[in-house]
Amino acid sequence: DTARAMSQENVDVLKRGMECFERRDVEAAIELLDPEVEWHPAFTALLGGETTVFRGHDGAREAIRQFWEVFSETHFEVSEIRDLGDQALAIGTMHARGTESGAEIESPWAWLVRN
């Protein structure tokens, strides 16, 4: 069934993307993204900044660069991955250390991948 295969593909891409992000391999992560990707990071708004949508591979690189500029260390624990048909959702906890402050944080997080 085509829908089921596409759904599993989204889950697989999500897992591979998280692995790339965890090891800070930007280019491997970018290769997984559609050239028309829209990245809607929540961390900017959570830190009191403006909400921004990053578009395309260059935008995704910038979103990742900004994220890693803020956090010197990150680790994502996945508690659940949901297969939502044409989407896959990962839910878990992010552990991070601020680059400038050295402060450690623990925060819920979610990644949504869709076709």
Side-chain angles (χ1 to χ4, degrees):
D1 163 87
T2 304
R4 183 73 194 141
M6 189 60 77
S7 178
Q8 185 57 48
E9 181 181 336
N10 285 338
V11 170
D12 292 343
V13 167
L14 176 64
K15 288 178 180 178
R16 288 194 319 266
M18 289 171 47
E19 290 166 2
C20 293
F21 203 84
E22 190 77 19
R23 67 178 187 267
R24 293 184 175 232
D25 188 343
V26 176
E27 290 310 311
I30 295 299
E31 288 178 19
L32 297 171
L33 300 175
D34 185 285
E36 303 291 319
V37 65
E38 287 190 6
W39 191 302
H40 301 257
F43 74 90
T44 308
L46 292 173
L47 296 173
E50 301 260 337
T51 301
T52 303
V53 176
F54 296 90
R55 290 182 171 79
H57 285 173
D58 287 341
R61 280 184 190 92
E62 179 62 16
I64 294 168
R65 185 196 65 74
Q66 286 183 17
F67 182 84
W68 286 338
E69 190 175 274
V70 172
F71 300 111
S72 61
E73 298 174 26
T74 56
H75 175 69
F76 299 90
E77 290 180 18
V78 179
S79 58
E80 181 178 4
I81 294 181
R82 295 182 188 173
D83 179 343
L84 304 174
D86 66 342
Q87 303 177 89
L89 175 67
I91 301 168
T93 304
M94 177 182 84
H95 303 273
R97 180 182 305 276
T99 300
E100 290 186 20
S101 69
E104 293 184 22
I105 66 162
E106 182 175 299
S107 175
W109 68 270
W111 282 4
L112 179 68
V113 173
R114 70 176 148 188
N115 266 338

